[in-house]
Amino acid sequence: MAVDVSRKKIPIAPPGPTCIEVAVPVPAQKSFTYSVPEPLTLQARIGKRVLVPFGRRRLTGYILGLGAEPGRYTIKAILDILDDTPLFPEEMVPFFRWMADYYLYPIGLVIRCALPGGIHQKEIRTIEITPAGEAALSGEGRLSPVQKEILRAINPVCSLKDLRKNLGKSVPMAAIRTLESAGWAQERREMAKERTRPLTERMAHIRSENLPAEGLSKIKRNIIDHLDAQGPLSIRSLKAEFPTAPNHIRDLEKRGYVKIVQERIFRDPFGTAVAPDSPLPPTPDQEAALKTLIPAAENGFMTFLMTGVTGSGKTEVYMQLAHAVIRKGKKVLVLVPEIALISQMAGRFRARFRDRVAVLHSGLSGGERLDQWTRILQGSADIGIGARSALFAPFTDPGLIIVDEEHDPSYKQESDLLYHARDMAVVRAKLAGCMVLLGSATPSVESYANAARGRYIEIALPRRIESRPLPEITVLDLKKNKGQIGPHRLITPRLQQAMKETLDRGQQALLFLNRRGYATFPVCASCGQSIICGNCDITLTYHQQEKIYRCHYCGSGRPLNTPCTICGSSSVKLLGFGTEKVEEAVGKLFPEARTARMDRDTTRRKGALLGMLKELQERKIDVLVGTQMVAKGHDFPGITLVGIICADLSLSFPDFRAGERTFQTLAQVAGRAGRGEFPGQVILQTWLPDHFSIITAKQQDFRAFYHREIVSRGELGYPPFSRLAQIKVKSADRNRAQQTAQGLGDLLRGLQKQEKFSMVPIVVLGPVEASIPRISGDYRWHLLLKSPESRALRGLIEDARTQTPKLFNTPKVKVVIDVDPVFMY
Ligand code: ADP
Ligand code: ZN
Ligand code: ZN
C-alpha cells in the first residue's frame, strides 16, 4: 500500500485555483509561482512533480510549497501533476533550500540532482513537414538548396536530434524557423515516456474467512496451504512451485477462496544471499563508545567524530548504535565514500537487519534506484546505505546519520552541484535534529579541528580488535636503491624478500601505487620531447594492455606509432611507471604467483570490481596491485604484507591538502595489513623519508600529523582557519577565459570596498592561470576567495552575480562557483 508521506499536513484546498511554489530546473536561484487549475487542486502536494510552461518550453518542476503568494505578476497555470504520491517528503524542502543557498546553486537543479536518475521527463522536439512543404519539395515552391536539403531530411517527420545527425552537421535554428514561418514545416513538442516505472505483480492472498473445509483437489489444497504458510505470493513465484498454479488460482479466485491483487513490487538489487548474524559482544572500547553514543542519540543534533584505528571495529559500533536508534522508531542513514564499499557495508548491515536495509547508488539500474528510493519513502526500510548521493535518501525522520571514512575526498561531488556529502550530512542532521557520527582512522584536518575546538565530540577506539597489533612499517629510502635495474627499480630486493616470505606462508600481498597505466612519462627517444595531449596541457600515459597513449584528464587516446610532433621520430622512451608496470614486475619476479590489478582500467566493466574483491576474499589472488581504490576501508583478512611502491607521488600536487592526502592514503593502505589473525607488515618505499607526512604515516599517528599540519595551515591562513570559495572560469577561447576571469576579479574587488563587506576580512586572490592551464580544449583561469566566514564569501559572490549577471553568463565561457573547494588544480 502506498503511504502518502505528506499526510501530516493535508492542506484544505480552497475553492478555485490555488497558487503553488515550484522549483524549476533552470539556472535561476529563485523558485516560481504557478496557479493550479480547479481539477488539479486536490492533488497538489509538496514533493510531487508538475509539468509547467516555462518560456517557450514545458518543463518538469517540483512543488515546494502550497498556497504561495501570487505576487504582482500574472501567473501561469501548471499543465499537469505528474505523480500520484510525492517523490520527496516535505521535511526535505528546508534542506534543499539550504543547499541551494549555500552552494549558490539553483534550487530546481539541487532537487534534480537529489532525486534518483531515470525519473526525469524530457521534452522531445520533432519537426514535421506540412502539406505546403510537401508541395514545395515536389518543385512547386521557391526553395533554396539548403532549405530543400533540410526539408528532405525532415520528410515526413524527424526529431531535432536525428535531423542534426542525418544532415551530419549543425542545423541553424534560424533555418528551421524560416521553414516554419513559410508554413513548410512545423515543430512539435512532446513529453518523452518516463524511462523508469514502478514494477507491479499479481499477488495471491488467501481469504482466510472463506477457507474451505473440503471439496478441493489435492493440488488446490497444497496451493492454499502454501499461501497460508508463506503469506501472499506472486503468481509467478507460485508457478515456480506449482507449474499449473495460474489455472488453479483463477479457479480459486472465482470460488472466493483467494484474492488477486496487483501490487507494487521491488526489484532486488542484492545479488547474493547473506547469512544472518547477531551482535558481537562489544570490546571494552566499543562498549565505552556505545555508552556515550546510545543515550546521546536521543538528545537531538550533535556531531560525534569516531577516531578508531584501522580494524578497531567501527562498523560493529555503527550497527549496535543503529539498532538502538531503530528501536526508538527512527531511521538511519549510512554514507560510505565509494560504491565498492557499499557492498561490504550493506552486506554486514543486511546480515543484522535483513530486508530493512535499502541501498542507493549510481551503480543500480534506474528501476532499482527508484524502487529503493520508494521503499525508504514508504517507510519499509529502516536503514539507507549508499555513497555520496544517498545523502538525499528521503527519510522523514532520520535519527542518526553515519559518515564512514569521513576524510575521503570522494565525498565531494565534482560535477553540477559541487557539494560535500560529509558537510551536508552534518547540515541535514542539524535540520532534522538528529545525531551525526563521522568515523575515520585518519580524520580530516577540518573535522579534527572541530573536535579540538569542542564543536564535535571525539570518541576514540584506540586499539584493534582482539589487541591485534597495528602493522609494523619499514621505510625504505629509494635514493639508496639507485642503480638497480629491471623490476628491482620498482620492487626493491627488500620488498621482494618480504613478498617471497609472505607467499611462502600462503598469505596475500598488496602492492600500492597511486598511478595507473604502464609508463606515465613517455618521451621522444631522439629529441626528448614529452608526448602530450592535444587537448590538455598534460603528458599522456602509455597503457600497455590497450596499446595506446591515453590522457587521464580528457580520456582521448593517441595511437602508438604517431611520429613526434617536433622531430618526426617515432621511437619512444617509456619513462615513469604506473600500476601496469608494477604488475609486470611482479610477473617477472614471481612468475608462479596469481596476480591481479585493481585500478580504474580493470574495474570499468560493471561487476568487475566486486568480482575481484570476491576472488581476493576466496584467496584466488596472491598479489593484488592497485591504486588508491585498494587503500579504502576494505577488510581483507588474508593480507599480511602491504608494499607501497612509491609513497610520495601525491606530495608534489599543487594543493594545500597534498600532505594531508598523502598521510591519509598511506595510513589507510597500511591499515589493510594484518586485519586477520596474522600480524601484518608494511614496506614503504619513498624518495622523501624525512617528510612529516611519511614519518607520521609510519607511526600511524594522525594526531602527530594534525599537530604539525595545523601550524602550517595557520601560517598560510588555509582551512580550518579560513573558508574558501573558488571561481573556475573556462573557455575554448583563451582570451575570453582570461578576460572574464579578470572582469570577475575587478568586480569582486570593487564590491568588496563597500561598507557592508568591511566587517569581515575577505581576500580575493587571482585570477591566475590554473595549474593545468588547459583541459579538454578549455583554457582555465581561477580566482580564490578566502575569509574567516563562509557567509561573507557567499554574500560577496551573490552580490556580484546579481549586479553583473552577464559576467557569469559570458557567451562561450563557463563560470563555476565552488564553495569549499577540494580539488583545486
Ligand atoms: P574498522 O572499520 O574499524 O576498520 P571493522 O569494523 O572492519 O574495523 O572490524 C575489523 C574486524 O573485527 C571485522 O572483521 C569485525 O568483524 C571484527 N570485529 C568487530 N567488532 C568485534 C567484536 N566486538 N568482537 C569480535 N570481532 C569484532
Ligand atoms: Zn622528437
Ligand atoms: Zn587530454
Side-chain angles (χ1 to χ4, degrees):
M1 190 191 67
V3 176
D4 185 344
V5 291
S6 66
R7 69 185 179 282
K8 280 189 200 133
K9 291 181 205 156
I10 291 182
I12 309 297
T18 329
C19 286
I20 56 173
E21 183 191 358
V22 178
V24 183
V26 293
Q29 210 47 43
K30 60 182 178 59
S31 53
F32 297 84
T33 303
Y34 284 90
S35 66
V36 185
E38 181 73 61
L40 295 175
T41 47
L42 281 176
Q43 288 170 42
R45 289 272 190 295
I46 290 173
K48 286 189 180 182
R49 289 171 304 160
V50 285
L51 190 63
V52 295
F54 195 87
R56 278 177 62 96
R57 293 177 289 169
R58 293 185 301 174
L59 295 174
T60 305
Y62 315 96
I63 305 183
L64 292 185
L66 305 173
E69 283 296 317
R72 281 173 288 132
Y73 310 97
T74 45
I75 53 174
K76 294 184 188 165
I78 60 165
L79 303 169
D80 200 2
I81 291 182
L82 300 172
D83 300 300
D84 297 332
T85 54
L87 285 178
F88 54 84
E90 183 177 350
E91 285 84 349
M92 288 188 72
V93 173
F95 181 50
F96 293 144
R97 291 195 206 272
W98 202 98
M99 281 188 80
D101 192 47
Y102 187 78
Y103 288 112
L104 303 165
Y105 202 72
I107 178 122
L109 295 176
V110 168
I111 298 176
R112 184 154 81 178
C113 165
L115 296 180
I119 58 167
H120 300 291
Q121 271 204 339
K122 262 219 182 100
E123 198 176 61
I124 295 189
R125 299 165 70 179
T126 54
I127 310 275
E128 206 173 65
I129 196 161
T130 59
E134 278 168 23
L137 247 193
S138 53
E140 293 161 39
R142 299 147 284 111
L143 286 174
S144 75
V146 178
Q147 288 172 334
K148 205 175 244 165
E149 190 190 358
I150 298 178
L151 267 186
R152 268 209 202 100
I154 291 173
N155 197 13
V157 59
C158 179
S159 78
L160 217 54
K161 210 168 133 210
D162 286 343
L163 185 61
R164 294 196 180 114
K165 219 187 289 163
N166 295 347
L167 288 174
K169 61 185 171 200
S170 74
V171 188
M173 267 328 275
I176 292 171
R177 297 278 167 255
T178 322
L179 292 176
E180 274 187 308
S181 53
W184 292 323
Q186 196 173 17
E187 187 181 335
R188 268 181 202 284
R189 287 150 189 262
E190 275 164 15
M191 299 314 287
K193 278 248 169 61
E194 290 185 60
R195 270 187 290 138
T196 308
R197 288 195 170 281
L199 265 189
T200 58
E201 204 162 18
R202 280 155 38 86
M203 305 286 288
H205 299 243
I206 44 176
R207 308 177 65 151
S208 44
E209 71 274 22
N210 294 335
L211 272 188
E214 47 200 54
L216 282 180
S217 66
K218 185 148 180 276
I219 170 106
K220 286 201 174 71
R221 185 77 244 179
N222 284 344
I223 291 176
I224 294 269
D225 287 347
H226 193 63
L227 283 173
D228 198 23
Q230 303 276 319
L233 286 174
S234 69
I235 311 277
R236 195 168 47 91
S237 55
L238 271 177
K239 198 175 154 193
E241 197 82 11
F242 310 94
T244 52
N247 291 331
H248 295 297
I249 284 286
R250 215 172 299 133
D251 189 47
L252 286 169
E253 188 190 16
K254 236 185 260 158
R255 293 161 66 176
Y257 300 139
V258 163
K259 189 171 66 176
I260 311 267
V261 188
Q262 192 83 22
E263 275 173 28
R264 170 93 191 255
I265 53 155
F266 297 103
R267 305 160 179 93
D268 183 7
F270 303 105
T272 50
V274 180
D277 82 344
S278 42
L280 297 167
T283 63
D285 290 339
Q286 289 172 330
E287 175 101 54
L290 289 164
K291 255 203 183 115
T292 308
L293 290 168
I294 291 176
E298 291 184 53
N299 292 339
F301 173 64
M302 179 79 89
T303 309
F304 287 85
L305 178 63
M306 187 155 69
T307 55
V309 296
T310 52
S312 58
K314 292 187 284 297
T315 312
E316 186 63 35
V317 174
Y318 298 156
M319 290 196 291
Q320 298 199 16
L321 177 61
H323 184 73
V325 169
I326 292 165
R327 262 214 315 251
K328 298 279 171 193
K330 300 265 185 157
K331 311 289 183 190
V332 177
L333 180 54
V334 184
L335 300 184
V336 295
E338 261 182 27
I339 295 186
L341 289 169
I342 297 176
S343 65
Q344 179 178 310
M345 186 68 82
R348 288 201 188 171
F349 269 81
R350 235 158 39 92
R352 188 90 33 104
F353 301 95
R354 315 308 303 163
D355 62 348
R356 303 299 295 173
V357 178
V359 290
L360 285 170
H361 62 80
S362 55
L364 301 178
S365 72
E368 286 170 339
R369 253 203 282 185
L370 181 64
D371 284 352
Q372 298 290 312
W373 181 271
T374 313
R375 287 185 54 214
I376 293 174
L377 202 53
Q378 296 182 350
S380 57
D382 294 323
I383 300 170
I385 300 178
R388 195 169 57 218
S389 66
L391 168 70
F392 300 109
F395 288 120
T396 41
D397 53 351
L400 169 66
I401 304 180
I402 294 168
V403 184
D404 192 29
E405 311 289 353
E406 66 88 26
H407 64 278
D408 198 302
S410 305
Y411 281 121
K412 178 76 178 350
Q413 166 136 317
E414 277 304 291
S415 60
D416 304 320
L417 172 56
L418 304 176
Y419 67 98
H420 199 302
R422 175 203 56 217
D423 298 347
M424 289 307 105
V426 175
V427 171
R428 189 167 175 195
K430 188 170 185 182
L431 294 174
C434 75
M435 170 188 281
V436 56
L437 174 60
L438 313 177
S440 176
T442 53
S444 62
V445 169
E446 277 99 333
S447 292
Y448 197 64
N450 277 324
R453 291 170 185 166
R455 291 179 54 185
Y456 295 177
I457 297 170
E458 185 183 352
I459 305 266
L461 295 180
R463 281 168 286 264
R464 279 191 161 181
I465 292 295
E466 289 167 358
S467 308
R468 284 169 198 160
L470 281 170
E472 189 176 315
I473 303 187
T474 309
V475 173
L476 294 186
D477 187 348
L478 283 171
K479 290 194 285 292
K480 300 198 176 125
N481 195 51
K482 272 193 175 155
Q484 294 283 359
I485 48 161
H488 280 132
R489 289 182 11 185
L490 298 176
I491 298 174
T492 59
R494 176 71 201 280
L495 175 55
Q496 180 187 8
Q497 181 59 29
M499 288 174 70
K500 182 174 180 311
E501 288 163 12
T502 303
L503 298 180
D504 286 348
R505 283 194 302 263
Q507 296 166 351
Q508 294 167 301
L510 177 70
L511 297 185
F512 167 76
L513 178 68
N514 209 358
R515 219 156 43 178
R516 65 197 168 93
Y518 184 82
T520 50
F521 200 74
V523 298
C524 169
S526 65
C527 79
Q529 170 69 24
S530 58
I531 300 194
I532 52 171
C533 177
N535 310 318
C536 314
D537 292 331
I538 209 85
T539 311
L540 298 178
T541 296
Y542 174 59
H543 286 252
Q544 175 134 293
Q545 200 173 0
E546 253 193 308
K547 301 226 174 338
I548 200 167
Y549 298 105
R550 201 165 272 302
C551 173
H552 286 187
Y553 284 84
C554 72
S556 70
R558 193 169 120 170
L560 275 198
N561 298 319
T562 323
C564 171
T565 47
I566 305 288
C567 74
S569 156
S570 47
S571 71
V572 170
K573 256 209 204 112
L574 295 173
L575 304 182
F577 50 89
T579 44
E580 272 187 334
K581 213 182 243 183
V582 176
E583 188 186 20
E584 180 187 81
V586 176
K588 282 184 185 151
L589 298 175
F590 300 97
E592 69 297 338
R594 295 165 299 175
T595 304
R597 174 163 55 88
M598 185 184 285
D599 56 27
R600 239 190 307 149
D601 297 317
T602 59
T603 54
R604 208 160 275 141
R605 195 171 40 79
K606 198 180 164 174
L609 179 55
L610 288 184
M612 221 181 273
L613 292 174
K614 193 153 169 263
E615 281 185 353
L616 198 66
Q617 208 75 40
E618 293 167 354
R619 309 285 182 106
K620 290 180 182 155
I621 295 173
D622 301 315
V623 182
L624 181 71
V625 178
T627 55
Q628 45 84 28
M629 257 183 191
V630 301
K632 308 210 170 185
H634 299 288
D635 192 21
F636 305 130
I639 292 181
T640 55
L641 172 68
V642 168
I644 297 171
I645 300 299
C646 183
D648 32 66
L649 292 179
S650 52
L651 278 176
S652 54
F653 259 66
D655 182 336
F656 73 92
R657 289 192 184 91
E660 181 182 352
R661 281 291 166 267
T662 304
F663 165 78
Q664 286 164 345
T665 310
L666 297 178
Q668 288 286 346
V669 74
R672 295 316 112 204
R675 298 170 64 90
E677 45 189 315
F678 299 103
Q681 65 163 326
V682 179
I683 297 201
L684 186 157
Q685 308 182 148
T686 176
W687 293 101
L688 302 167
D690 300 323
H691 192 284
F692 77 98
S693 289
I694 309 261
I695 293 172
T696 50
K698 170 177 158 58
Q699 297 159 345
Q700 297 172 79
D701 184 349
F702 79 85
R703 288 183 189 85
F705 171 79
Y706 173 83
H707 291 303
R708 173 79 194 253
E709 176 75 8
I710 200 77
V711 175
S712 60
R713 296 280 177 96
E715 282 164 0
L716 299 167
Y718 275 124
F721 296 96
S722 66
R723 304 298 292 270
L724 304 179
Q726 191 181 39
I727 302 185
K728 307 179 188 214
V729 180
K730 60 181 186 181
S731 172
D733 181 328
R734 176 183 245 139
N735 288 334
R736 272 182 203 248
Q738 184 177 359
Q739 280 160 12
T740 307
Q742 203 69 55
L744 284 166
D746 294 345
L747 173 67
L748 290 164
R749 287 199 180 86
L751 285 174
Q752 202 190 355
K753 296 200 182 83
Q754 289 177 356
E755 179 77 39
K756 68 171 169 181
F757 292 114
S758 64
M759 312 297 288
V760 184
I762 302 178
V763 187
V764 179
L765 298 166
V768 292
E769 196 169 50
S771 58
I772 301 172
R774 195 173 55 119
I775 293 182
S776 296
D778 281 333
Y779 294 89
R780 312 164 70 237
W781 286 76
H782 291 166
L783 284 142
L784 187 64
L785 284 74
K786 245 190 204 180
S787 169
E789 276 185 30
S790 173
R791 196 175 323 135
L793 289 182
R794 289 180 288 116
L796 180 63
I797 299 173
E798 188 61 84
D799 264 28
R801 197 163 61 175
T802 328
Q803 273 199 18
T804 319
K806 263 199 201 140
L807 254 184
F808 288 83
N809 281 306
T810 312
K812 298 191 180 140
V813 180
K814 190 152 189 218
V815 177
V816 174
I817 301 162
D818 191 350
V819 178
D820 304 331
V822 169
F823 304 98
M824 296 170 62
Y825 55 87

